[in-house]
Amino acid sequence: MSRPASHPPAGDRLRARLAAGQTVLMPGVWDPLSAHLARAAGFSTAFLSGYCVSGAHLGVPDIGLLTQTEMAEVARRVCRAAPELAVVVDADTGYGDPSNTIRTVELWEEAGAAGMFLEDQRWPKRCGHLDGKQVVPRDEWLAKLRAAIAHRDALHVTARTDARAPLGLDEAIERARMAADLGVDAVFVEAPRSITELERIASALEGSVLVANMVEGGKTPLLTPDELHELGFDLIVSPLTGLFSAVRALRDTFEQLAGAGTLRDDLGRLATFDEFTALVELDRWERAGDPAHGDGAPAGP
């Protein structure tokens, strides 16, 4: 993929930020609208969560029902709608063997993704904070990681292991160490259960970029980015915060609408008409459609 020298790929920009010692907090997004909201809040990096996409687009749990091409299409829409965001895209297990993983890398880069998370679960995978997970043998996962690294352009590759639950923390740390030795950009031991376990991970993997996953109601203690940085974790994911917030807001609002038939006496719980049109950049689209301001509409989803 050729890009102007003045505009480095999003994966390289993310890599450079982490190499400089910055802590990067990624909110979870699931569609172009949530990506617009993340950007408007000041985020420069976001995580396209398989859990969120499964729930929001299919209405199903994160238990391996979402396909590679469905996720790639959502990634394309999100990256196109919010080009200012560096979007790291959940890639589950790579959707098959190393050849399927190569295809996943190609699709993610064609979509404009900054990075991918690639895990060692046995398919069908499960949300990392659900019980009942199983993992594949080490060599099977490492082969996928080698394929991803060898065939990427600038994609930032995070190696995620879910071995903590089925095989114990020592095995998870060893898998993460082996992945780091391959040259992945970051390593991610999913679902440690205490600050002590986070400390053990950081001590064993010193020198690697470490990922922490902050899931409300999950198995890992909720810590701030500063607290996690002090422990040694600098790529921080808050994947479900926005979705859970949106679900609560929609549920409460729909219940009120069903009961009262209107929200005319409680408009404060809603975005205004003008706020929404500004969020989706109505003015920019109208200027683009005006012959006095140039040809054609801006890039959209």
Side-chain angles (χ1 to χ4, degrees):
M1 297 180 184
S2 60
R3 301 176 179 86
S6 60
H7 187 64
D12 285 347
R13 299 199 303 273
L14 176 58
R15 207 171 281 113
R17 291 179 64 193
L18 292 164
Q22 295 185 31
T23 298
V24 177
L25 173 61
M26 304 189 293
V29 299
W30 55 92
D31 62 9
L33 188 61
S34 58
H36 279 314
L37 288 164
R39 181 198 61 196
F43 287 99
S44 60
T45 308
F47 180 66
L48 184 58
S49 158
Y51 184 108
C52 292
V53 173
S54 293
H57 288 258
L58 303 181
V60 301
D62 183 19
I63 54 172
L65 300 171
L66 183 68
T67 68
Q68 177 197 57
T69 51
E70 287 171 328
M71 192 65 170
E73 176 59 18
V74 177
R76 184 190 68 80
R77 290 178 178 272
V78 167
C79 293
R80 185 171 174 81
E84 304 90 346
L85 278 178
V87 182
V88 176
V89 180
D90 196 351
D92 288 340
T93 66
Y95 306 97
D97 65 9
S99 295
N100 298 109
T101 301
I102 292 169
R103 178 64 176 144
T104 302
V105 168
E106 292 174 348
L107 288 170
W108 270 218
E109 291 200 318
E110 288 168 4
M116 70 189 310
F117 281 15
L118 186 62
E119 65 198 56
D120 61 353
Q121 281 199 54
R122 191 179 302 279
W123 193 264
K125 60 77 47 91
R126 297 170 65 81
C127 165
H129 290 254
L130 290 175
D131 294 328
K133 298 184 295 181
Q134 298 296 322
V135 293
V136 299
R138 293 176 182 177
D139 289 347
E140 188 173 326
W141 177 56
L142 294 172
K144 296 180 190 182
L145 292 170
R146 287 191 192 95
I149 294 167
H151 290 85
R152 68 179 172 183
D153 180 356
L155 204 66
H156 186 279
V157 176
T158 293
R160 165 180 153 177
T161 176
D162 285 74
R164 162 65 184 87
L167 301 178
L169 186 59
D170 288 342
E171 172 64 16
I173 289 172
E174 181 58 26
R175 287 181 178 224
R177 184 182 294 113
M178 296 173 76
D181 288 343
L182 292 180
V184 298
D185 297 294
V187 290
F188 174 14
V189 176
E190 173 64 300
R193 299 185 181 182
S194 65
I195 292 176
T196 298
E197 290 197 1
L198 288 165
E199 289 172 339
R200 283 188 58 195
I201 292 164
S203 176
L205 298 168
E206 187 176 0
S208 296
V209 174
L210 300 180
V211 175
N213 195 17
M214 297 289 99
V215 174
E216 294 83 0
K219 298 183 182 298
T220 305
L222 292 178
L223 301 174
T224 68
D226 285 346
E227 291 168 337
L228 288 164
H229 174 75
E230 287 299 314
L231 290 172
F233 295 80
D234 279 322
L235 187 54
I236 316 303
V237 194
S238 190
L240 310 185
T241 311
L243 180 67
F244 288 172
S245 174
V247 167
R248 170 65 67 87
L250 282 171
R251 185 192 68 190
D252 292 351
T253 299
F254 285 167
E255 286 178 353
Q256 182 167 347
L257 181 63
T262 179
L263 266 77
R264 69 184 182 187
D265 296 325
D266 200 8
L267 295 178
R269 72 164 60 236
L270 305 178
T272 68
F273 189 89
D274 288 344
E275 285 172 341
F276 186 83
T277 56
L279 179 66
V280 295
E281 301 179 313
L282 173 63
D283 287 348
R284 183 169 67 94
W285 282 87
E286 289 187 330
R287 286 197 307 272
D290 183 345
H293 290 88
D295 299 326

